[in-house]
Amino acid sequence: RAFRSTDCIPIGNENDTVYTDEIKIGDNDNLAAHVAQLCNADLLVILTQVDGLFTGNPERDPDARLLSEVTAEELESAGASAEGASKDGLGTGGFATKIRAVHTAFEHNIPVIVANGRTRNILSRILDGEPHGTLFIPP
């Protein structure tokens, strides 16, 4: 509630905590979804090393295309393409954890955008309404 009254954006990273025995969620995507729920967020933005969710693994499938929007009804089939997404060794769960975080956010009707964190000024651009990444639309 305090976050909303100050118009701040909470940013969390489970890997940077000092003491983790009581708060281990498992990955930053699901941690973010839980924080979004606690803050009653209007939007959850998950930044990653890819542009969003693709129809297949773009590293292996030259025809894979970025999905700009995924509805709750489409989420299960979208999750199937996420299972084949690559892991670069930097994260803990690849795109499948992002799909689980989307499900968690949807429990509180919170839309989610998954976008490339390496894009210059990405948060400002998203908040200004520019379409980036994949928007997951809750039911």
Side-chain angles (χ1 to χ4, degrees):
R1 294 180 229 299
F3 286 128
R4 292 181 67 84
S5 66
T6 60
D7 289 330
C8 79
I9 299 173
I11 298 174
N13 185 339
E14 187 173 61
N15 304 331
D16 291 340
T17 57
V18 175
Y19 182 77
T20 62
D21 287 348
E22 294 178 1
I23 62 166
K24 185 73 174 159
I25 300 291
D27 61 82
N28 285 317
D29 302 324
N30 282 292
L31 174 62
H34 287 291
V35 170
Q37 286 181 343
L38 290 171
C39 295
N40 195 26
D42 297 320
L43 174 69
L44 169 60
V45 178
I46 297 176
L47 299 179
T48 188
Q49 293 111 310
V50 295
D51 292 332
L53 180 62
F54 287 79
T55 56
N57 184 335
E59 294 173 354
R60 294 188 292 249
D61 180 359
D63 295 324
R65 62 180 176 74
L66 178 67
L67 298 171
S68 59
E69 290 186 356
V70 174
T71 65
E73 294 78 25
E74 299 166 328
L75 189 55
E76 291 311 315
S77 60
S81 67
E83 293 300 327
S86 82
K87 289 188 198 178
D88 61 9
L90 297 175
T92 58
F95 219 95
T97 64
K98 288 157 187 48
I99 296 296
R100 284 195 295 278
V102 169
H103 280 287
T104 300
F106 278 11
E107 291 172 9
H108 289 263
N109 206 34
I110 300 170
V112 179
I113 293 176
V114 176
N116 194 325
R118 296 178 178 164
T119 301
R120 187 171 176 83
N121 300 317
I122 188 65
L123 286 177
S124 298
R125 295 167 77 178
I126 288 171
L127 294 175
D128 286 343
E130 286 185 32
H132 284 276
T134 302
L135 170 62
F136 293 87
I137 304 166

